[in-house]
Amino acid sequence: MIKADIVIPKINSNMKPALNKALRQSVTYVRWKAVQKAPYQTGTLRSSIVEKVNNLKGTVWTNLVYAAIHEYWGIIKPKKGKYLVFQKGGKTIFAKKVRIPKRPYLFPALEESQSQIQDYFGRAIDLFIEKA
């Protein structure tokens, strides 16, 4: 599994609803960005990216078996037999191993969302102060 967390430390209980709303908005935005950035071939990776908000913790993740190899990179070797066999450009390829290059999508989505996340929380805090 690969995931990115946004966690809010303990806070005034009166502020919790406003911060939970900002957290929900933030997590949804990060997920949207990750879906846009994820490598696309069949759409399975993109559709596997999910979000959850629970007790002032928001998580965006996917548990797709090949998700992490795209985020970081890796080498694939055959489990059975001597070669990996796949099609590329209409040709059958036999390879002892294949290096999958780094194609990060989840953590860049989180990094690129920082100003939007700050905006969501800034508005939540402003509204809380106005009501106080």
Side-chain angles (χ1 to χ4, degrees), residues 51-128:
E51 64 188 72
K52 179 180 179 181
V53 174
N54 188 11
N55 199 24
L56 296 178
K57 177 181 178 182
T59 306
V60 177
W61 83 96
T62 174
N63 60 5
L64 197 60
V65 68
Y66 58 83
I69 204 165
H70 286 290
E71 185 77 19
Y72 303 112
W73 75 274
I75 295 174
I76 300 173
K77 295 179 182 178
K79 287 185 177 182
K80 298 177 183 176
K82 292 183 180 183
Y83 299 99
L84 295 167
V85 181
F86 55 94
Q87 298 286 320
K88 185 173 182 179
K91 294 185 177 182
T92 302
I93 308 291
F94 296 88
K96 290 188 176 185
K97 62 183 177 181
V98 174
R99 183 184 187 281
I100 304 297
K102 184 176 175 177
R103 297 183 193 106
Y105 56 95
L106 187 57
F107 289 101
L110 180 60
E111 289 172 7
E112 291 173 17
S113 300
Q114 292 303 309
S115 67
Q116 186 64 45
I117 292 169
Q118 289 171 358
D119 186 50
Y120 289 139
F121 281 93
R123 280 189 267 155
I125 292 166
D126 289 345
L127 285 171
F128 179 76

Side-chain angles (χ1 to χ4, degrees), residues 3-17:
K3 67 178 185 171
D5 291 327
I6 301 172
V7 181
I8 301 171
K10 293 183 180 185
I11 48 123
N12 177 324
S13 62
N14 294 334
M15 245 183 122
K16 194 172 181 176

